Amino acid sequence: MMQSLYTASTGMIGMQTQINTTANNIANVNTIGFKKSRAEFADLMYKVMEYAGTSTSDATKSPTGIEVGLGSRPTAINKIFAEGSLKQTDNQLDIAVTGRGFFKLELPTGVETYSRNGAFKVDQNGTLVNSDGYKLLPEVVIPPDATSITIGTDGTVTVVQPGQAQAAQVGQITLVNFINPAGLHSMGDNLYVETDSSGQPLEGTPGLDGLGNLRQGFVELSNVELVVELTDLITGQRAYDSNSKVITTSDEMLQTTNNLKR
């Protein structure tokens, strides 16, 4: 059996991964805080028919060997945490992170998760939560009679209440960073969870220790660039087509060989 059949099939499988990854990026082009992914590949082992440096005579050696590659394989789908563009909303509870860092949220099970989506709301108790009702940590509670809410670049949350001359602080928003954010596990809903590869969460005040600042009244848009994704989509499609043509050509060659045997 011709090796090219198997080699081309690995290319087709790899391009399926590429196109699936690109499709997910495009599908989330308008998802707040979404971070695009990139499929990465490596070549497989090689079938060595002659090693470089093999003696061709008593005084000469082959300058190159004869090695035939056996295809490619996906090695990683890397999450790219480049910052997305900011969109002004003028909503008092919308917060964007400019720079590094994640908001820390708590699931109903008590598990801590992390997100770049800063489109917050208040629940029935006045607690800051995300769109799914998961609490922001540390917990921030907005008084029901607050007439205005101010969130500083350092995460300080203050409110103005009737009858008070000065704003009162009601909470402090912190950010969490990781040595290797690409090692976080994506669990959907704009949430990530810690893994052994991401490292331990490093929590701190926005604007300090390498953490980004907060911008009230803004949200961070997806960092997906449609032009790049469409280019990758076309490239993946062409590569898939080319690999399928290799299989067709190999099959035709095998058919020719079979005909010669008759």
Side-chain angles (χ1 to χ4, degrees):
M1 182 64 67
M2 297 183 65
Q3 181 60 49
S4 56
L5 289 170
Y6 297 105
T7 301
S9 68
T10 66
M12 294 180 71
I13 293 171
M15 287 307 100
Q16 287 177 346
T17 301
Q18 163 97 10
I19 291 173
N20 289 340
T21 302
T22 303
N24 185 61
N25 289 341
I26 294 174
N28 286 282
V29 68
N30 289 319
T31 300
I32 295 175
F34 177 79
K35 300 304 177 184
K36 65 182 180 181
S37 299
R38 179 184 66 208
E40 299 177 357
F41 304 89
D43 51 349
L44 290 174
M45 65 180 66
Y46 285 75
K47 180 179 180 181
V48 180
M49 292 180 284
E50 181 179 301
Y51 286 98
T54 301
S55 296
T56 55
S57 70
D58 291 339
T60 59
K61 293 183 178 181
S62 172
T64 59
I66 302 176
E67 300 177 353
V68 179
L70 302 181
S72 65
R73 66 180 180 89
T75 57
I77 296 181
N78 188 28
K79 185 72 73 173
I80 308 298
F81 281 94
E83 189 175 337
S85 301
L86 300 187
K87 178 181 178 181
Q88 187 170 3
T89 65
D90 293 327
N91 185 331
Q92 293 184 108
L93 298 180
D94 283 343
I95 314 168
V97 180
T98 58
R100 304 186 66 179
F102 297 83
F103 298 108
K104 182 167 67 171
L105 302 169
E106 183 182 45
L107 300 182
T109 58
V111 175
E112 293 182 353
T113 62
Y114 309 93
S115 177
R116 292 280 297 192
N117 184 352
F120 293 108
K121 287 83 178 169
V122 292
D123 64 9
Q124 68 275 14
N125 300 315
T127 305
L128 279 188
V129 297
N130 74 349
S131 298
D132 293 313
Y134 303 151
K135 287 193 301 184
L136 175 68
L137 297 179
E139 186 174 306
V140 177
V141 179
I142 305 298
D145 60 347
T147 57
S148 69
I149 305 168
T150 302
I151 301 173
T153 57
D154 63 350
T156 303
V157 183
T158 57
V159 299
V160 174
Q161 296 173 275
Q164 292 186 350
Q166 295 183 339
Q169 182 173 342
V170 294
Q172 171 68 48
I173 298 175
T174 62
L175 291 178
V176 175
N177 197 17
F178 295 87
I179 295 176
N180 177 31
L184 292 169
H185 167 60
S186 304
M187 59 178 296
D189 296 325
N190 290 322
L191 301 176
Y192 303 94
V193 292
E194 171 193 349
T195 69
D196 290 339
S197 295
S198 67
Q200 296 291 321
L202 307 172
E203 189 170 359
T205 302
L208 300 178
D209 301 322
L211 294 170
N213 292 308
L214 302 185
R215 292 291 302 273
Q216 184 182 18
F218 289 81
V219 292
E220 181 187 11
L221 301 179
S222 164
N223 66 353
V224 174
E225 299 178 55
L226 271 180
V227 173
V228 175
E229 300 305 319
L230 291 174
T231 301
D232 288 345
L233 187 63
I234 293 171
T235 302
Q237 180 187 17
R238 293 292 180 263
Y240 188 91
D241 289 343
S242 297
N243 279 287
S244 68
K245 289 178 181 178
V246 170
I247 291 178
T248 302
T249 301
S250 298
D251 179 60
E252 291 173 352
M253 293 173 67
L254 285 172
Q255 184 63 46
T256 300
T257 303
N258 289 333
N259 291 338
L260 290 174
K261 292 179 180 179
R262 294 177 183 177

